Amino acid sequence: MKTSEIINLGIGLEIHFCLDAADTNAQFTMFKVVIHPNAKVPAAHYHENFDETIYGLKGSLTLIVDDQIITLGPGDYQFINRGSVHNLINQTDEIVEILAFANPGIFTANYFKDLLGVLKVGGPPDKAKLNSIMLQYGLIPVSS
């Protein structure tokens, strides 16, 4: 059994990459996201070239998809079509865990590793660099 690669972004988010593109012949990627209370989460965005499914494992997550507010608990799931604007928020005092599937498998662990490179610099993160990384991986940030 393969063990997950854990990428701790240091902002209240941990990514446990389970299956990357190389593991699935680029059919899909799968990763667990651990979201601590008050975590800094990615800006509202949409995916240009892949769909995403979120499955609740632990806690209660607020998911906003195309202006619809959804509460995702353990056993709940939400399919997010490419092009749908979405973001997620942990509004509780508990750790939330979700499992995410991206299809096709073009969204890889390298995205989170590149983010970590910007976040490890210290001080407030460079938003232009974060946006550039998002765009490089097909995540299109949306201004609120």
Side-chain angles (χ1 to χ4, degrees):
M1 182 170 131
K2 182 180 173 184
T3 45
S4 298
E5 176 180 9
I6 300 172
I7 304 165
N8 187 341
L9 294 174
I11 55 173
L13 287 176
E14 299 167 24
I15 311 301
H16 299 240
F17 236 88
C18 305
L19 293 169
D20 216 334
D23 302 315
T24 66
N25 197 26
Q27 296 301 302
F28 70 95
T29 57
M30 180 176 76
F31 51 97
K32 179 173 79 169
V33 182
V34 179
I35 309 159
H36 293 260
N38 302 312
K40 304 293 183 207
V41 295
H45 63 280
Y46 64 89
H47 306 145
E48 203 169 42
N49 301 310
F50 62 92
D51 300 314
E52 184 174 27
T53 302
I54 308 283
Y55 181 83
L57 297 172
K58 176 182 174 184
S60 180
L61 178 72
T62 300
L63 182 63
I64 303 166
V65 180
D66 291 330
D67 295 325
Q68 179 184 4
I69 299 172
I70 301 159
T71 301
L72 198 74
D76 295 336
Y77 58 89
Q78 180 67 41
F79 178 74
I80 304 167
N81 286 311
R82 62 192 83 189
S84 290
V85 175
H86 63 283
N87 66 333
L88 50 90
I89 307 163
N90 178 359
Q91 296 180 315
T92 73
D93 293 331
E94 298 180 4
I95 292 174
V96 172
E97 295 182 6
I98 59 172
L99 194 59
F101 299 87
N103 178 26
I106 58 175
F107 185 58
T108 67
N110 290 335
Y111 166 73
F112 298 103
K113 291 175 184 176
D114 288 352
L115 285 180
L116 182 59
V118 173
L119 296 171
K120 285 177 81 173
V121 172
D126 183 330
K127 288 185 182 186
K129 284 184 182 177
L130 293 177
N131 283 346
S132 175
I133 292 168
M134 289 179 78
L135 291 169
Q136 178 183 345
Y137 289 93
L139 286 76
I140 312 303
V142 176
S143 301
S144 25

